[in-house]
Amino acid sequence: MKQKHLKVLGATLAVIAVLVFAGLTFYGNSDLTQSSLEQTVDAKHQPLIDRLQALPEAPPAEMAGRVDEEIDTYNSGIIAQQGISDDYLEKVLSKLNGDPSTYNEAFVADYFSADPDIQKRVTESTSWMYGREWESFDEFREQFHQKTDEINRSIVEDNGIGDQRREQFRQEVMENGAPGWLKDGLWAWLIFGTATLGGLLFMIPGVKKHPGIKNDGIYHGKMQNRKWPAIILFAFLIGFYIVLYEFPQYFVNQIVLLEPLSQKMAGVASGRWFMYGFLYTLVMSIFGAKMMIKYRGNAYQQVRTVSVVFFQVVFAFTLPQILTLLQKPSYDIKSIWPLEYSFFFDYRVDQMLEAGTFGLYLLFWGIALALIAVPVLTYIFGKRWYCSWVCGCGGLAETAGDPFRHLSDKSLGAWKIERWMVHSVLVFAVLMTAATVYTTITGESQVLGINSYDVRSTYGFFIGFIFAGAVGTGFYPVMGNRVWCRFGCPLAAYIGLVQRFKSRFRITTNGGQCISCGNCSTYCEMGIDVRWYAQRGQNIVRASCVGCGICAAVCPRGVLKLENRDEKGRVNDNPILIGREGVSLNL
Amino acid sequence: MGRKHTVIIGNGIAGITTARHLRKHSDQRITVISAEAPYFFSRTALMYVYLGHMKFEHIKPYEDWFWEKNDIELLHDYITDIDTQEKILKREKGESIAYDQLVLATGSQTKYYDWPGQDLKGVQGLVTYQDLQNLEAFTPKPGEKNHRVQKAVIVGGGLIGIELAEMLMYRNIEVTMLVRENHFWGNILTENESNLIMAHARAHGLKFQTQADLKTINGDDQGNVESVTLADGDTLPCQLVGITTGVKPNTGTIKGTDIEMNNGIMVNEYLETNIPDVYAAGDCVELRNPSSSRRAIEPVWYTGRMMGEVLGRTLSGKRSAYKPGPWFNSAKFFDIEYQTYGVVNAAPDVEQVHWFWKKEGENKFVTVAYHPDTLEFQGINGFGVRLLHAYFDRALTMKMKVSEVIGHMSQANFDTEFYGKWPREFKLAFTRDTGIAIEKKSRFNQLFSR
């Protein structure tokens, strides 16, 4: 009973840590009165700074809204002072006496010359309207309103806090106002230390069990069986990603927790992606330890776990910070296009080209990984060299996602959807990149009538945020741990094509020993019906197989083995089951 | 005249394999009837449902649409009577069915030895889906406290027995296993092996009572099991008695027909019964002339499958004999996997020598059997290691010498990657222990080049 208490204690500590962490959005008052906004904000915005500093302290959840209101008020003030008000516009329009064709340069000079800046903007925006015939005066008025709105917006862009700057500005203000006591590291140690301790306590009882497969009761619990705790976790994860991507102002307190670490590692202020990277790495490390305990007795699982955690800690998290510290272009250099879909974006290519030899090296490295390393290593080792040994998405799936692996859909229907979907994303990624590169080289933003920046941002929103982030991780508790890898990852699709058609990797079956029990299929995170092949003695050669090796681990009769060997005989569509004389068909 | 109609009674591995192979070879109308479950499931996987590794739907090897797509009709009904003259089957629920060819694949059932009290509530085996349902209803849910079933006695130490023990222990039931011999599965395993398995099972909390013979099962006023009494007078209190002393052919429907039976349904090597157009396959079968190394009744998954493969062909008009190759089997004792190829007797004799090897400090051990004079390799039992079926199948078929078989052991290794290089240590130990120098011959390299 003592061990059970330890588990409960561990789980409780971990849940408390997570709740305190999430609760910082509603606690830990943001205080702008003591802020040093003057240092980061342009002096011309002093009136706004004054107003922000006059705000009473409040938790981030409230403060973010107030900062937004202040920015709105400030922008409205700028329009009122420097822009074209609706009243004035109506007055001016009435001077046309209902005949829009009389609108011309002289008219502009008559009514908009008070402010030369306004006169210039109005001329630029409306000169095409001079002397034109209109269906009706209302049509003209509508057009004119639209144009003056644009003028007002551009004034705000130039002189106020425009839409393009707004998010970053708000984030700077909010992080500046976050309470100082969150920034000194103590709370980071408390929260993340408690979470880690809780996780470790939770898994200690596992050490006392005999090495072997630990799947007892997986379908008898609630968390791993789509019952209410799973639904809560699902909602929590989805919520986390929505806030992270769309409303980062609510995460300022969480972000500044890591201020000391970010300063030490990268020499810059902590940001939301630093926080996300830290959480990701911490979660993977804790659950990696759990994997090491759970799969004692299976060296393949242990080596593989060490590998993914190593690549996450060193390549995905630490190295980019060091590169930032050295003021070099920084990114996770083991992340490969098209998973790393922004690799060929103009600003990133520019950044690399401007960074001299090192930048060129990075550019070469990224291209070589995608075009040389992927086919060569996949030929030698199969898809697993990346997907279950190196990749960060795969790494999280294989550690934190491991308890949910059985939730993947094994039906033939799901396989059909998977093939259409994942290859469509690959095509989308290739076209998007082609359009982006075209724009980078020619400077032409229109490609075949479509704006390449729109294609880019559409991809970023739907694939980068919704699919890879929110669905990819959030759906662990309901659809298994490899939803993204299976249905969405363009790199997995690309590597999968290589694995399917030109690789030494396959899962072999052991003669006639299969008893069709179904453990292999049930625990396949990629939804492969492994049993279908095993019971007919056929090698498993599937594009989606990430080579996690769990099918071989859970097989109670020693039937499955992951192998890299000579290509000869790899695809055996007409296999023979050993055990009796005479040849027979296998269905 | 419509299509020729083949009716198969029983949707286990033998019946279903027959149906699938017949479908591949012909376009006959095929009907499979089962009273047990509407769809084929893996019987050997029932334990995993109880353990919560899988749900029942996961142990069905084919999705439900598979049968219609392959034009195999499934009937969930019980056959009450077989008229082999008129070729008509009477059903419990639906209308009678006429057949042109009949396959009996009725499987097996728990074997009871007429113990007093064996009909009490709480006495059961673990063979059918109904057995699983009964067990689920009778025992505590996972984590349930204060359930009336706290202790169980399992009668018979064998494969099903140890699986049942693992299942019940997961539900926090204290389990004692009664073993008639001196050690677990004593008629199959060698003493060394059995003792190691018992030690492993004990470490998991299982209790053994060896040389124990069940005399009576005792019940309370409500007809529930209360205890068992052994031949030596010992009484063990328990609320559940698992009967795992073996299985026998399930021939209830066949009794009273003119189909010849002994312990099972008698068939020749073509799996034909004494009645024309009536065949049988799987656990329910008793072979008239089994091959020398095989038994007349073999109630295992693999035999059912292999018979089905052959029978499917025969039913399509291509009459084929069932000729099993070297014996093989597998099992899992808690965390220790077991595979066997060929014949390893429970004890060595004048025709067989055993060499036993165990990896220090680990649950990996192997027994190799060979002839003392000819040194012909006879069989191998592997525990905690995975052995390649193809390798030993060929070694046995080609009557290789033990020195050659051991010599190429690394090619027989089917362990997962990074599992350790035990075959090397194994080879050295073999020569050290037996004085037989290992041999490497090129013909092996060609055969098993992996």
Side-chain angles (χ1 to χ4, degrees):
Chain A
M1 277 301 96
K2 233 180 172 180
Q3 293 188 6
K4 201 182 165 189
H5 295 155
L6 215 55
K7 267 188 112 157
V8 172
L9 177 66
T12 310
L13 286 177
V15 169
I16 288 173
V18 170
L19 289 179
V20 170
F21 181 76
L24 289 177
T25 300
F26 309 98
Y27 188 66
N29 280 349
S30 180
D31 182 4
L32 297 178
T33 57
Q34 302 300 317
S35 66
S36 50
L37 291 170
E38 293 83 354
Q39 289 171 15
T40 50
V41 181
D42 195 324
K44 74 178 175 185
H45 300 308
Q46 194 56 46
L48 175 61
I49 295 171
D50 290 342
R51 290 192 61 110
L52 289 172
Q53 287 179 335
L55 287 173
E57 61 176 64
E62 279 174 58
M63 186 58 107
R66 287 192 197 151
V67 171
D68 263 333
E69 282 167 23
E70 288 306 332
I71 295 172
D72 284 341
T73 313
Y74 178 62
N75 287 343
S76 307
I78 284 176
I79 293 172
Q81 274 177 24
Q82 306 170 27
I84 304 160
S85 72
D86 278 0
D87 286 352
Y88 185 72
L89 186 60
E90 282 306 316
K91 211 157 73 189
V92 168
L93 288 178
S94 69
K95 301 291 181 198
L96 288 168
N97 296 321
D99 180 6
S101 66
T102 60
Y103 180 70
N104 57 23
E105 199 175 348
F107 187 86
V108 173
D110 284 349
Y111 294 99
F112 293 106
S113 59
D115 181 341
D117 179 51
I118 289 284
Q119 188 179 3
K120 187 168 152 260
R121 288 176 196 264
V122 171
T123 308
E124 273 170 16
S125 297
T126 65
S127 57
W128 62 279
M129 296 166 97
Y130 293 167
R132 276 178 67 124
E133 293 297 328
W134 298 84
E135 295 268 324
S136 66
F137 189 77
D138 281 347
E139 197 198 346
F140 172 78
R141 168 191 275 146
E142 201 181 306
Q143 276 292 337
F144 208 85
H145 266 284
Q146 227 172 55
K147 287 296 156 192
T148 48
D149 281 350
E150 280 173 21
I151 289 165
N152 285 340
R153 266 206 301 278
S154 70
I155 289 169
V156 170
E157 280 307 331
D158 292 347
N159 302 329
I161 307 297
D163 287 347
Q164 290 187 17
R165 267 216 68 200
R166 189 189 189 104
E167 199 174 303
Q168 199 196 337
F169 178 83
R170 181 180 53 208
Q171 200 67 11
E172 276 171 22
V173 169
M174 292 291 293
E175 282 169 24
N176 200 315
W181 52 270
L182 280 176
K183 296 179 186 171
D184 64 11
L186 174 68
W187 280 90
W189 276 109
L190 277 176
I191 291 173
F192 300 122
T194 307
T196 309
L197 180 70
L200 293 175
L201 287 178
F202 184 81
M203 58 186 87
I204 281 178
V207 180
K208 300 217 169 155
K209 289 185 183 168
H210 296 268
I213 294 307
K214 300 283 166 274
N215 287 338
D216 282 359
I218 295 240
Y219 277 98
H220 291 151
K222 293 193 172 67
M223 182 55 110
Q224 288 168 275
N225 219 359
R226 299 193 185 116
K227 298 282 162 52
W228 64 265
I231 302 304
I232 290 177
L233 179 63
F234 167 65
F236 182 84
L237 288 171
I238 297 283
F240 173 83
Y241 277 94
I242 291 175
V243 175
L244 180 72
Y245 276 83
E246 299 295 309
F247 307 100
Q249 63 269 31
Y250 300 126
F251 271 163
V252 285
N253 281 354
Q254 287 87 340
I255 290 169
V256 300
L257 272 180
L258 295 168
E259 190 64 26
L261 184 65
S262 180
Q263 290 293 356
K264 245 180 225 136
M265 291 182 80
V268 296
S270 174
R272 62 170 148 160
W273 300 120
F274 181 80
M275 176 198 74
Y276 180 54
F278 175 81
L279 288 180
Y280 202 101
T281 309
L282 183 70
V283 167
M284 248 178 85
S285 305
I286 294 172
F287 281 89
K290 183 164 178 273
M291 283 291 282
M292 296 301 283
I293 294 168
K294 181 175 173 186
Y295 289 104
R296 279 174 307 135
N298 189 320
Y300 180 74
Q301 297 306 325
Q302 295 194 317
V303 173
R304 193 172 65 83
T305 303
V306 169
S307 173
V308 282
V309 173
F310 166 81
F311 278 102
Q312 176 63 29
V313 171
V314 176
F315 283 82
F317 185 64
T318 308
L319 215 52
Q321 315 310 331
I322 293 173
L323 290 175
T324 304
L325 191 67
L326 299 173
Q327 299 185 325
K328 301 279 185 200
S330 92
Y331 82 109
D332 173 4
I333 60 163
K334 63 149 179 62
S335 186
I336 305 176
W337 178 89
L339 173 60
E340 183 73 13
Y341 62 90
S342 63
F343 186 78
F344 292 105
F345 284 5
D346 47 5
Y347 66 90
R348 290 198 46 184
V349 174
D350 289 347
Q351 196 186 27
M352 288 187 276
L353 291 178
E354 282 159 17
T357 323
F358 181 74
L360 281 176
Y361 170 73
L362 278 187
L363 189 61
F364 173 77
W365 169 260
I367 295 170
L369 269 186
L371 299 183
I372 300 169
V374 163
V376 170
L377 291 174
T378 307
Y379 172 72
I380 300 172
F381 301 112
K383 191 175 186 175
R384 53 181 173 163
W385 81 268
Y386 194 73
C387 293
S388 63
W389 281 70
V390 173
C391 180
C393 303
L396 191 71
E398 294 293 347
T399 49
D402 178 71
F404 304 109
R405 57 169 51 251
H406 54 287
L407 298 173
S408 61
D409 189 338
K410 317 304 188 298
S411 69
L412 194 64
W415 184 20
K416 281 183 186 156
I417 293 169
E418 164 199 317
R419 281 180 293 177
W420 273 103
M421 214 183 246
V422 77
H423 294 119
S424 300
V425 175
L426 175 60
V427 170
F428 187 12
V430 170
L431 293 180
M432 183 271 293
T433 305
T436 306
V437 171
Y438 175 82
T439 300
T440 309
I441 293 171
T442 62
E444 193 67 48
S445 63
Q446 296 293 118
V447 183
L448 302 172
I450 300 167
N451 188 314
S452 73
Y453 290 96
D454 290 346
V455 178
R456 206 165 102 167
S457 62
T458 306
Y459 187 94
F461 182 78
F462 285 103
I463 309 297
F465 155 47
I466 299 208
F467 211 154
V471 172
T473 308
F475 276 42
Y476 277 11
V478 290
M479 282 180 69
N481 54 334
R482 286 276 193 175
V483 175
W484 159 248
C485 313
R486 184 182 176 193
F487 295 100
C489 177
L491 180 58
Y494 166 34
I495 305 181
L497 289 172
V498 179
Q499 166 161 288
R500 174 65 187 79
F501 295 108
K502 193 68 190 169
S503 174
R504 297 164 70 244
F505 172 77
R506 86 292 310 263
I507 303 174
T508 47
T509 58
N510 192 6
Q513 289 281 24
C514 178
I515 53 165
S516 301
C517 70
N519 276 296
C520 51
S521 294
T522 303
Y523 288 93
C524 177
E525 56 190 354
M526 294 303 280
I528 299 171
D529 190 359
V530 183
R531 166 173 56 192
W532 174 270
Y533 304 90
Q535 65 192 358
R536 56 201 296 258
Q538 187 178 4
N539 288 346
I540 295 115
V541 178
R542 279 277 291 264
S544 64
C545 176
V546 293
C548 69
I550 294 293
C551 56
V554 298
C555 177
R557 306 297 176 107
V559 175
L560 299 160
K561 180 175 184 176
L562 281 62
E563 294 189 68
N564 304 315
R565 260 203 289 147
D566 190 0
E567 276 181 275
K568 202 173 128 230
R570 186 175 86 109
V571 178
N572 57 339
D573 288 334
N574 290 304
I576 290 162
L577 285 172
I578 300 165
R580 60 181 180 81
E581 290 175 35
V583 173
S584 72
L585 287 166
N586 290 285
L587 317 177
Chain B
M1 269 299 284
R3 293 188 290 169
K4 196 177 208 179
H5 189 193
T6 296
V7 176
I8 299 165
I9 303 177
N11 71 351
I13 181 65
I16 285 298
T17 308
T18 305
R20 284 171 48 248
H21 280 256
L22 175 58
R23 170 54 66 240
K24 203 72 178 174
H25 289 292
S26 92
D27 66 347
Q28 290 176 25
R29 182 179 166 204
I30 303 171
T31 304
V32 182
I33 304 172
S34 167
E36 185 185 19
Y39 295 100
F40 169 49
F41 65 88
S42 173
R43 186 171 309 287
T44 45
L46 283 174
M47 67 176 292
Y48 300 113
V49 177
Y50 189 84
L51 286 168
H53 293 207
M54 290 186 275
K55 290 184 180 175
F56 182 71
E57 68 197 56
H58 297 120
I59 69 169
K60 293 191 287 187
Y62 301 94
E63 290 185 63
D64 293 349
W65 51 258
F66 177 87
W67 308 105
E68 199 184 325
K69 181 170 177 273
N70 286 284
D71 192 20
I72 294 170
E73 291 171 47
L74 303 179
L75 287 178
H76 188 32
D77 203 347
Y78 185 74
I79 297 299
T80 53
D81 188 49
I82 301 170
D83 183 341
T84 56
Q85 299 301 312
E86 298 297 319
K87 294 189 166 183
I88 284 188
L89 306 172
K90 281 197 188 126
R91 293 161 61 187
E92 192 174 77
K93 285 182 261 173
E95 283 181 24
S96 298
I97 306 176
Y99 67 82
D100 298 307
Q101 299 183 118
L102 178 66
V103 177
L104 304 168
T106 50
S108 51
Q109 58 189 14
T110 301
K111 191 159 151 187
Y112 292 85
Y113 286 88
D114 295 323
W115 293 289
Q118 69 181 22
D119 295 324
L120 288 164
K121 273 184 275 177
V123 183
Q124 71 162 102
L126 182 70
V127 174
T128 62
Y129 178 53
Q130 282 68 37
D131 288 336
L132 179 76
Q133 287 179 311
N134 291 341
L135 191 68
E136 188 64 67
F138 199 77
T139 51
K141 298 277 161 277
E144 185 179 343
K145 295 210 172 71
N146 305 320
H147 191 276
R148 61 169 288 277
V149 177
Q150 298 276 335
K151 288 185 176 185
V153 166
I154 290 176
V155 186
L159 293 185
I160 303 180
I162 206 151
E163 287 176 359
L164 184 58
E166 184 177 353
M167 292 160 68
L168 296 174
M169 280 153 59
Y170 162 61
R171 305 289 177 105
N172 282 325
I173 297 170
E174 192 186 313
V175 183
T176 305
M177 180 179 277
L178 305 184
V179 178
R180 280 183 69 166
E181 294 85 4
N182 285 324
H183 50 85
F184 170 76
W185 215 20
N187 58 333
I188 301 289
L189 300 182
T190 69
E191 199 173 338
N192 277 332
E193 294 166 348
S194 182
N195 284 332
L196 286 163
I197 295 296
M198 284 171 79
H200 179 67
R202 284 197 186 100
H204 275 271
L206 178 60
K207 291 178 183 167
F208 287 98
Q209 194 132 339
T210 54
Q211 291 179 304
D213 234 337
L214 178 65
K215 203 169 120 203
T216 59
I217 304 169
N218 316 308
D220 62 13
D221 309 341
Q222 279 99 48
N224 289 312
V225 172
E226 198 175 53
S227 65
V228 294
T229 306
L230 308 184
D232 64 6
D234 248 14
T235 294
L236 305 175
C238 61
Q239 297 78 46
L240 180 77
V241 176
I243 303 294
T244 62
T245 42
V247 293
K248 62 176 183 184
N250 181 15
T251 52
T253 342
I254 295 109
K255 276 186 189 118
T257 68
D258 45 7
I259 300 164
E260 187 188 343
M261 286 199 300
N262 181 31
N263 288 318
I265 302 164
M266 299 305 291
V267 294
N268 62 15
E269 66 187 280
Y270 295 96
L271 305 174
E272 296 159 340
T273 66
N274 60 318
I275 307 291
D277 293 326
V278 178
Y279 305 80
D283 287 10
C284 63
V285 153
E286 181 171 345
L287 289 169
R288 292 180 197 277
N289 301 303
S291 65
S292 60
S293 64
R294 311 281 299 223
R295 282 162 285 146
I297 301 178
E298 280 181 355
V300 293
W301 176 270
Y302 308 115
T303 296
R305 196 200 68 224
M306 291 190 291
M307 285 182 172
E309 290 166 6
V310 175
L311 186 52
R313 199 176 152 84
T314 297
L315 293 168
S316 75
K318 298 166 199 146
R319 192 164 178 251
S320 311
Y322 168 65
K323 291 181 189 159
W327 168 255
F328 68 98
N329 201 5
S330 66
K332 195 172 181 185
F333 308 101
F334 291 91
D335 299 315
I336 300 179
E337 286 173 23
Y338 157 72
Q339 289 178 333
T340 183
Y341 302 101
V343 177
V344 181
N345 296 325
D349 53 34
V350 288
E351 297 281 304
Q352 188 169 83
V353 183
H354 286 174
W355 174 63
F356 177 77
W357 172 85
K358 182 178 181 302
K359 186 155 171 59
E360 194 64 38
E362 288 181 61
N363 271 325
K364 294 179 187 178
F365 46 98
V366 172
T367 303
V368 176
Y370 57 95
H371 195 280
D373 306 325
T374 65
L375 299 186
E376 184 187 325
F377 173 72
Q378 292 176 327
I380 185 166
N381 286 345
F383 297 82
V385 295
R386 291 178 171 183
L387 303 170
L388 188 67
H389 187 178
Y391 181 89
F392 293 105
D393 189 72
R394 285 177 198 157
L396 289 159
T397 311
M398 296 173 71
K399 301 189 187 304
M400 297 290 178
K401 280 188 180 173
V402 68
S403 47
E404 294 176 87
V405 176
I406 302 274
H408 295 267
M409 196 67 189
S410 47
Q411 287 167 25
N413 185 7
F414 200 70
D415 289 327
T416 55
E417 291 155 299
F418 310 130
Y419 197 73
K421 295 194 185 325
W422 63 268
R424 208 186 111 74
E425 195 184 317
F426 178 83
K427 277 189 260 187
L428 296 173
F430 177 75
T431 306
R432 192 188 60 220
D433 294 352
T434 65
I436 301 171
I438 58 169
E439 289 179 66
K440 276 202 162 191
K441 286 190 178 169
S442 60
R443 59 176 171 158
F444 266 95
N445 284 328
Q446 281 160 15
L447 273 174
F448 306 114
S449 63
R450 290 177 54 75

